Every structure is written in C-alpha cells, then in structure tokens.
Amino acid sequence: MIRVSEAIKRDHRELEDCYNNILDAVTDDDKTRWQNQFTWELARHSVGEELIVYPAMEKHLPDGKEMADKDRKEHQKVKEQLYIFQNLKASDPKFKPTIKALWTDLSEHIKEEEEHDLKLLEKALEEADSEELLQSFNRAKMFAPTRSHPSAPDKPPFENVAGLLAAPIDHLRDLFNKFPNQDSVRKA
C-alpha cells in the first residue's frame, strides 16, 4: 500500500508539472487553464497537510510542534503569493514573475519537507498508521477549498470550519473556470 509521504511527493510532482506547463504555455487561454489547475492542486494540498500531516508530526515527533509551526509559516507565505497569482490575468505582466517567485518559495519548502520532515514522520509511523494518514489526507483534500484563503486559520479545528465555509463557494467558482483537459493533466 502507498504511504502518506509517497502521496505527498506525488502531489509535489503534479504541482511542478503544472508550474512547468504554465511557463511553457503559448496562449493566454492555456496559461489560464494551467493557472487554475495549479491553484486547485496547491490549495487542496496545503489544507490537507495542515489538517492531517502537521498534527501527525506534532503527535509523533519529538520536535514535531516546531517543525509543523515552521511548515505552517512557510505555507502562509505561499498562500499569500498564491492568492495574488490566482487573481492575475494571464496577460498581466506580473503573471510570470509572480508564479516564478511563488515556485521559488514553494520548491524550497517541498525540498525541505521531502528530505527532512516526511522522512522523520515515516520513521515514527507504523505502516498502518501511514496508510490511515493517507486516507485522511485524501479525504481532507476532497472537502478542502480550491482557492487560496491566506486570512483563514491554519490550525484545526478553526481551519476545518473556515474550510467548510469557503469550499462550497470555491467549488461553485470552479464550475465556471477553465482547466486543462484530462488528457493534458495525465500527460503532465
């Protein structure tokens, strides 16, 4: 069975693919589609980590609280950048510089998380615990907001309430946004 760290790493690769597709897109329409996909993926992933993974770090690791607080702080910076990016038009001159700056911060967070935090967490977890965390992580992403809300709380239980209030509005908005077709997403 897949472990929670593997799923998180897979999400990270999907985010990287979306980022590269944004940079490689030629038309504003394609840029917008990948912008929406990137925003959707990152918002859901961040909430899943904050609701499920960071509390597990706090519970299972001796320095887990400090690690989780540091990761939440990094997430906050990225969420603020994502909030700006998600509202830009692809034709805006700030579009590419904004996603590049966001990716610089996000990729540093990803590297640290994969090389340090997730390794320590997996060492502290039994395989069954990791699989249970994975199920919870995936469920959290299903109900998470799909846009960045940097002013929302980032710790349970308050994030749960804020997310439940924001998610339906985000999901309705997604109905009217353009996304890459599924074949493009699978190839990425």
Side-chain angles (χ1 to χ4, degrees), residues 65-112:
K65 171 116 175 64
E66 293 80 15
M67 289 170 56
D69 286 345
K70 181 178 177 295
D71 285 342
R72 284 186 184 102
K73 186 176 177 183
E74 292 170 357
H75 268 207
Q76 183 61 33
K77 182 177 182 183
V78 168
K79 284 193 276 189
E80 289 168 5
Q81 292 170 308
L82 181 61
Y83 182 78
I84 293 167
F85 178 68
Q86 74 191 15
N87 292 305
L88 290 175
K89 299 268 186 231
S91 59
D92 191 310
K94 298 177 195 162
F95 186 85
K96 275 196 177 180
T98 301
I99 187 62
K100 286 181 178 182
L102 189 162
W103 186 255
T104 297
D105 292 334
L106 180 59
S107 63
E108 185 60 36
H109 169 77
I110 287 171
K111 181 180 179 194
E112 200 172 287

Side-chain angles (χ1 to χ4, degrees), residues 51 55 153-164:
L51 286 177
D154 62 359
K155 292 182 184 176
F158 302 108
E159 183 179 47
N160 298 6
V161 173
L164 288 173

Side-chain angles (χ1 to χ4, degrees), residues 13-47:
R13 298 298 81 74
E14 288 174 11
L15 286 164
E16 185 174 13
D17 289 342
C18 288
Y19 168 73
N20 288 323
N21 282 318
I22 291 167
L23 295 183
D24 294 342
V26 177
T27 68
D28 284 352
D29 184 63
D30 284 342
K31 289 176 189 173
T32 299
R33 289 174 188 272
W34 286 108
Q35 173 192 29
N36 289 334
Q37 185 71 27
F38 182 87
T39 299
W40 187 80
E41 294 284 358
L42 182 54
R44 294 168 56 250
H45 175 85
S46 296
V47 170

Side-chain angles (χ1 to χ4, degrees), residues 120-152:
L120 290 176
L121 181 61
E122 286 293 2
K123 284 181 185 176
L125 295 174
E126 297 291 329
E127 186 173 351
D129 294 331
S130 182
E131 291 170 4
E132 188 176 318
L133 268 181
L134 169 64
Q135 297 304 316
S136 296
F137 177 71
N138 286 336
R139 273 192 303 276
K141 286 176 32 179
M142 286 179 11
F143 296 103
T146 58
R147 314 263 307 155
S148 181
H149 299 280
S151 60

